[in-house]
């Protein structure tokens, strides 16, 4: 009975943390039903659901198929900070680095309600019933969600919830300890999945939207995550060694069996809502100038697969008249982050849009992206550069990563962009290209224009410095990861590549340095309201792991998470 009571308290805690704190006028397009969605009127005991349904929820919510959660999850924070997207709606203050807690809690809340609250319970039940292979699958899903969330925020309440020893509050773990726990979970998952029983495989087939019950594919995902995490901690190699984990050895063990062995992207193809289309349809999302100018300058053949040209005429006021400066559907146009824009609609609302803008071809149900196989090649390329892992050359891994991305994106997006093939020689011309990012020229406000920052072309240069080799790898990885902003932003913060345009305005009141940009997502009001004592200790851990050289600390966007080590360069 006592254990059951503790489990129930943990469940209640997870549900409480997921209740949004919405200020007046927070949203005009998407918050009307969000509070109703997560209040007790619709809550059910997850243990009462069929096992397949229990497992499906955390898997699906690794890319939330629910419009309100999706917008809060990353579209008002990480999508903007990472340089893929930018809101044309100046009423969303995070777009000008004016940190808004009500708009910053989606990652945290999605994790605790939809992912961790399910996975930790399913893992415990499966372990207890000796269904270790199924527990292993959920350990991978849990690690996927945990990695996103700690990389966004820093310390989290993790082991204290798993232990079942706390009821009134839940202490936070440091980011280092969370990474150590994830490595252990992934190791156990690999072993247990490799020994999965036939009966478990039949059960897995009833819910597996990621791998369709292909257990070997699950092992490849786990190894890809281990390689990703080892490289993420490249600026904390000494500290991990002191904790008993050799990152080079971790990477070397994972490298032979990643998604690069099958070139298969992991997507959820269940006709769920892909909410990115809706973010654009609401007028709350556009493309970021960083991504657009990189792709335009490098003549990337994936660009029409990722975005449209300007969706309407772009106009400026000349006297009392609107003058068309960019006719509809003539240019790829992105919006500069932190531009101090007015509320929607405005000229920037007419810049580049999401493919299949009217949803005539069904892009609203485009499969949900989880992993891009091309990432594995760029991870392997950096592992070779940094640790001399593997026998294949860095150049070969780099160029293969580009080709795999080109092939997979065409297969994934071509239907919705009405593109069946690239122009002749386009991919090889791209790989041999020598042009870099173009300058950003804002046709609606020339004051927002700014020079290009990424001058290297795509073509590999074996005689370049290690720093330049890393820059090339990271830029191509960034382009291949789209639209997975959480991973792209983490790697951009870790390495500094690609360089992002500086903010034009900074409304953070000193919480974020203009030159450095946003380094983390602040905790939501719910974290303070539901676990104040735990969070208080968590903020001490955050400050202990912080390495900011800008005098910024505490729960601010300019504070560095542990692996974002300002005391160490890339090499």
């Amino acid at each position: 009975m006592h254990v059951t009571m503790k489990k129930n308290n943990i469940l209640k805690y997870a549900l409480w943390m997921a209740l949004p704190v919405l200020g007046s006028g927070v949203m005009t397009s998407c918050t009307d039903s969000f509070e109703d969605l997560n209040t007790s009127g619709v809550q059910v005991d997850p243990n009462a659901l069929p096992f397949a349904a229990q497992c499906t929820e955390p898997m699906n919510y690794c890319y939330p198929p629910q419009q309100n959660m999706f917008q809060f999850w990353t579209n008002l924070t990480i999508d903007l900070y990472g340089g893929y997207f930018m809101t044309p709606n100046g009423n969303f203050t995070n777009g000008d680095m004016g940190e808004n807690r009500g708009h910053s809690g989606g990652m945290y809340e999605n994790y605790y309600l939809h992912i961790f609250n399910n996975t930790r319970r399913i893992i415990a039940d499966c372990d207890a019933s000796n269904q270790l292979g199924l527990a292993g699958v959920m350990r991978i899903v849990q690690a996927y969600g945990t990695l996103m969330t700690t990389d966004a925020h820093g310390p989290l309440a993790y082991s204290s919830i798993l232990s079942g020893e706390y009821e009134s509050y839940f202490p936070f773990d440091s980011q280092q300890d969370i990474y150590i726990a994830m490595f252990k979970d992934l190791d156990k998952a690999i072993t247990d999945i490799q020994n999965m029983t036939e009966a478990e495989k039949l059960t897995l087939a009833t819910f597996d939207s990621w791998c369709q019950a292909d257990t070997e594919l699950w092992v490849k995902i786990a190894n890809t995550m281990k390689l990703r995490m080892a490289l993420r901690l490249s600026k904390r190699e000494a500290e991990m060694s002191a904790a008993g984990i050799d990152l080079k050895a971790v990477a070397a063990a994972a490298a032979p069996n990643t998604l690069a062995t099958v070139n298969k992207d992991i997507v959820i193809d269940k006709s769920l809502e892909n909410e990115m289309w809706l973010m654009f349809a609401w007028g709350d999302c556009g493309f970021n100038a960083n991504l657009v100018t990189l792709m335009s300058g490098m003549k990337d053949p994936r660009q029409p697969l990722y975005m449209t040209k300007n969706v309407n005429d772009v106009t400026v006021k000349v006297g009392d008249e609107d003058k068309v400066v960019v006719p509809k559907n003539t240019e790829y146009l992105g919006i500069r982050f932190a531009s101090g824009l007015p509320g929607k609609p405005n000229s920037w609302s007419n810049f580049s849009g999401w493919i299949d803008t009217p949803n005539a071809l069904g892009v609203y149900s485009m499969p949900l992206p989880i992993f891009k196989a091309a990432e594995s090649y760029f991870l392997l390329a950096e592992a070779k550069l940094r640790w001399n892992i593997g026998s294949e050359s860095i150049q070969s891994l780099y160029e293969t990563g580009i080709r795999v991305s080109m092939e997979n994106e065409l297969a994934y997006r071509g239907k919705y962009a009405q593109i069946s093939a690239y122009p002749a020689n386009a991919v090889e011309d791209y790989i041999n290209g020598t042009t870099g990012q173009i300058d950003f020229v804002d046709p609606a406000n020339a004051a927002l224009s700014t020079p290009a920052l990424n001058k290297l072309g795509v073509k590999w240069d074996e005689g370049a410095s290690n720093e330049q080799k890393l820059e090339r790898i990271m830029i191509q990885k960034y382009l291949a990861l789209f639209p997975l902003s959480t991973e792209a932003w983490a790697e951009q913060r870790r390495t500094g590549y690609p360089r992002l345009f500086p903010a034009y305005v900074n409304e953070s009141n000193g919480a974020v340095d203009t030159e450095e940009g946003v380094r983390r997502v602040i905790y939501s009001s719910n974290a303070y309201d539901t676990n104040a004592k735990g969070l208080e200790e968590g903020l001490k851990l955050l400050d202990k792991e912080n390495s900011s050289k800008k005098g910024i600390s505490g729960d601010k966007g300019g504070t560095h998470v542990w692996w974002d080590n300002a005391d160490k360069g890339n090499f």
Side-chain angles (χ1 to χ4, degrees), residues 223-253:
N223 277 317
T224 304
M225 288 187 65
K226 288 175 63 179
L227 184 56
R228 176 195 279 184
M229 289 160 55
L231 288 166
R232 182 87 87 248
L233 301 183
S234 60
K235 293 182 179 180
R236 294 293 187 181
E237 196 168 355
E239 292 89 338
M240 290 301 287
S241 178
I245 295 180
D246 182 336
L247 294 177
K248 179 180 177 180
V250 170

Side-chain angles (χ1 to χ4, degrees), residues 19 53 68 70 158 171 223 233 273 319 338 360 405 419 426 432 434 489-490 526 542 569:
L19 299 180
N68 314 117
F70 185 91
Y158 185 76
N223 277 317
L233 301 183
E273 294 179 358
S405 176
I419 297 172
N432 290 301
T434 57
W489 184 45
N526 295 333
L542 177 67

Side-chain angles (χ1 to χ4, degrees), residues 309-315 326-329 333 347 349-351:
K309 294 182 178 179
N310 55 304
V311 295
N312 282 303
D313 292 343
V314 178
T315 62
V326 184
K328 179 179 178 179
N329 198 33
L333 296 176
S347 293
S349 303
N350 297 324
F351 282 20

Side-chain angles (χ1 to χ4, degrees), residues 524-554:
S524 70
S525 299
N526 295 333
Y528 287 88
D529 293 340
T530 61
N531 190 24
K533 184 176 179 180
L535 181 58
E536 181 181 0
E537 295 302 314
L539 294 178
K540 292 178 182 177
L541 292 171
L542 177 67
D543 281 341
K544 184 178 179 180
E545 294 186 329
N546 175 34
S547 60
S548 172
K549 301 300 183 184
K550 305 295 182 178
I552 299 172
S553 61

Side-chain angles (χ1 to χ4, degrees), residues 360-499:
L361 301 171
V363 75
Y364 194 20
S365 58
M366 181 167 68
L368 310 183
I370 300 296
F371 257 105
K372 299 300 183 83
E375 178 194 354
S376 299
Y377 286 96
F378 299 114
L379 292 171
L380 292 167
E382 184 183 350
K384 180 68 174 178
L385 175 67
R386 185 176 298 282
W387 291 317
N388 195 28
I389 291 172
S391 58
E392 190 170 349
S393 71
I394 303 169
Q395 179 177 351
S396 175
L397 292 163
Y398 169 80
E399 292 179 350
T400 304
I402 295 172
R403 291 189 180 95
V404 168
S405 176
M406 294 284 178
E407 180 179 351
N408 287 3
E409 293 301 337
L410 182 63
Y412 176 49
R413 295 174 168 273
K415 165 186 171 182
Y416 309 105
Q418 294 185 292
I419 297 172
S420 59
Y422 294 116
N425 301 317
V427 174
E428 293 309 308
D429 288 347
Y430 177 78
I431 289 173
N432 290 301
T434 57
T435 58
Q437 182 182 38
I438 58 172
D439 295 340
F440 172 59
V441 178
D442 192 316
N445 182 357
L448 299 177
S449 301
T450 190
L453 299 174
N454 302 281
K455 300 299 182 70
L456 292 181
V458 180
K459 187 175 182 179
W460 188 254
D461 179 3
E462 189 57 36
S465 67
N466 280 355
E467 192 70 36
Q468 288 179 318
K469 289 177 179 177
L470 180 65
E471 181 176 353
R472 281 194 168 91
I473 292 167
M474 298 312 299
I475 289 175
Q476 293 310 310
K477 181 179 179 181
Y478 180 86
L479 296 173
L481 281 167
F482 180 85
L484 300 175
S485 292
T486 304
E487 184 59 25
W489 184 45
E491 289 294 78
Q492 194 281 327
R493 285 178 287 158
R494 175 176 71 94
T495 65
Y497 303 124
R499 300 175 182 90

